[in-house]
Amino acid sequence: MKRLAILGSTGSIGQSTLSIVDSYPERYAVATLAAGRNVDSAFEQVLRWRPLVVSLATEELAAELTRRLRDKGVTGTEVVWGTAGSIACATHADVDFVVSAIVGVAGLEATHAAILAGKPIGLANKECMVAAGEILTQDARRLAVPLIPIDSEHNAVHQCMRVGTAAEVKQVWLTASGGPFRELPAEDFVAITPERALKHPTWVMGQRITIDSATMLNKGLEVIEACRLFDLPASKVRVTVHPQSTVHSLVEYVDGSILAQISVTDMRLPILYALAYPERPSSTLTFDLAALSHLDFEVPDLVRFPCLRLAYEAAEKGGAHCIALNAADEVAVEAFLARKITFPGIPRTIEKVLERTPESHPETIAGVLEADSQARERARNVIAEDASRL
Ligand code: MG
């Protein structure tokens, strides 16, 4: 029986993880939940799963949940809050495996604490790897802590890498759906509304990652994530646009063989893989190969999707530039959703923030978070300057 800490339990990966626990009660149990800001959802999850510890984003939210649980007569769940609360969930003595799925750098300290506590990690939080990948992977290797990617592309790469050695890998191909604007002419990008950008063709995901898919910044973050997870230079991590989202990624070996992983577009599969690794439990997540008529692969357009170019540039520089790429994007996406900037304003903001970022390589999580808040400040300034010119 593996007892899980689910960091980000009310988000889409968290909910999918709970549905896996529901399907495999003989294999998995919930130990702790870090639930963020959604008290209603956290309340329902505590009633259903009875975790030892549940963490909310703030003290006020924790007090609200405590009151509701008391009114309902629920005992046995400790309610905690904030970063210290997420860390308590991640490092609890009864936890055997941590699912890291808090969106953004908010999950960074808890993920790092879990690694230092020797807990195997299922990693769904790509921002952690982008901002602090060097630190996290170094500590994980030093302590022999498994980091199993849940992000579908990296999960596919992890699966395809099991058949060869690292030295035999020529390069990795991450597939990208191309998002909803794959065929949109460049001149129409300025008129893209948040509503249109929030409609993703193949995956149902959270708001930020859906916008990031539309700008292809998401794929850029995934390039950096792959560099860190698989210890590859950016030149060995390629992107191919594959609108069907059927092949989740590919690994090309030095002998010319290319291995691909194909499955349904359902995050429960990479989650199950991560939880069960190195085993493969049987599941109902079957893929109908007979219904597959064709697979398309295209070269990504770095002119219409400058975010991908910016991500490669940041990947080459590493450190503060990767942190700034992620932080500036988060601020820019919020501004776009609030209708403060246009869709092309997202890459424009990121590019200006990267230009203003001095090269540095933080060696501690505190240093990463400091660089992150500096980049956010720069992004807010860039957006304010931009808006004043409209
Ligand atoms: Mg992905």
Side-chain angles (χ1 to χ4, degrees), residues 152-154 156-157 160-161 169-176 219 222-223 226 230 232 235-242 247-253 256-261 297-300 312:
S152 62
E153 295 79 0
H154 306 77
V157 170
C160 295
M161 279 199 174
V169 173
K170 183 180 177 195
Q171 56 190 357
V172 159
W173 291 91
L174 302 181
T175 53
K219 208 51 56 181
E222 290 181 354
V223 167
F230 304 112
L232 294 168
S235 58
K236 287 192 172 185
V237 181
R238 312 287 298 277
V239 172
T240 178
V241 174
H242 169 50
V247 175
H248 297 303
S249 277
L250 313 94
V251 175
E252 184 174 346
Y253 284 92
S257 287
I258 299 180
L259 274 85
Q261 187 259 344
F297 297 95
E298 300 162 11
V299 176
Y312 271 102

Side-chain angles (χ1 to χ4, degrees), residues 156-185:
V157 170
H158 191 273
Q159 298 199 37
C160 295
M161 279 199 174
R162 287 171 76 176
V163 299
T165 67
E168 289 165 354
V169 173
K170 183 180 177 195
Q171 56 190 357
V172 159
W173 291 91
L174 302 181
T175 53
S177 72
F181 309 125
R182 184 171 57 87
E183 293 175 319
L184 193 74

Side-chain angles (χ1 to χ4, degrees), residues 85-310:
S86 309
I87 291 173
C89 288
T91 58
H92 195 285
D94 288 354
V95 166
D96 304 309
F97 190 93
V98 175
V99 175
S100 169
I102 294 176
V103 179
V105 291
L108 185 48
E109 284 166 289
T111 304
H112 190 231
I115 291 170
L116 295 182
K119 310 287 190 190
I121 315 268
L123 192 77
N125 175 328
K126 73 189 68 176
E127 294 90 353
C128 280
M129 261 306 141
V130 171
E134 287 110 328
I135 299 170
L136 297 178
T137 53
Q138 263 174 32
D139 284 336
R141 280 183 200 121
R142 180 170 58 84
L143 299 166
V145 172
L147 277 179
I148 316 292
I150 288 177
D151 204 353
S152 62
E153 295 79 0
H154 306 77
N155 187 267
V157 170
H158 191 273
Q159 298 199 37
C160 295
M161 279 199 174
R162 287 171 76 176
V163 299
T165 67
E168 289 165 354
V169 173
K170 183 180 177 195
Q171 56 190 357
V172 159
W173 291 91
L174 302 181
T175 53
S177 72
F181 309 125
R182 184 171 57 87
E183 293 175 319
L184 193 74
E187 62 270 22
D188 294 342
F189 273 57
V190 72
I192 292 170
T193 60
E195 291 73 22
R196 275 178 75 197
L198 285 171
K199 281 200 188 112
H200 191 272
T202 45
W203 292 97
V204 177
M205 308 172 290
Q207 280 207 340
R208 182 189 168 196
I209 187 171
T210 305
I211 302 297
D212 284 349
S213 299
T215 62
M216 292 197 73
L217 190 275
N218 180 56
K219 208 51 56 181
L221 297 178
E222 290 181 354
V223 167
I224 300 170
E225 185 185 3
C227 292
R228 302 297 174 254
L229 274 171
F230 304 112
D231 203 14
L232 294 168
S235 58
K236 287 192 172 185
V237 181
R238 312 287 298 277
V239 172
T240 178
V241 174
H242 169 50
Q244 290 87 9
S245 297
T246 296
V247 175
H248 297 303
S249 277
L250 313 94
V251 175
E252 184 174 346
Y253 284 92
V254 286
D255 66 351
S257 287
I258 299 180
L259 274 85
Q261 187 259 344
I262 293 178
S263 61
V264 286
T265 51
D266 187 321
M267 287 308 292
R268 285 177 300 169
L269 199 141
I271 294 168
L272 177 62
Y273 174 88
L275 294 182
Y277 178 82
E279 287 178 62
R280 284 189 189 271
S282 66
S283 91
T284 54
L285 299 164
T286 51
F287 179 80
D288 183 7
L289 204 58
L292 182 65
S293 58
H294 61 285
L295 297 171
D296 298 313
F297 297 95
E298 300 162 11
V299 176
D301 181 346
L302 301 189
V303 176
R304 286 186 306 135
F305 298 99
C307 283
L308 195 50
R309 169 180 59 81
L310 294 171

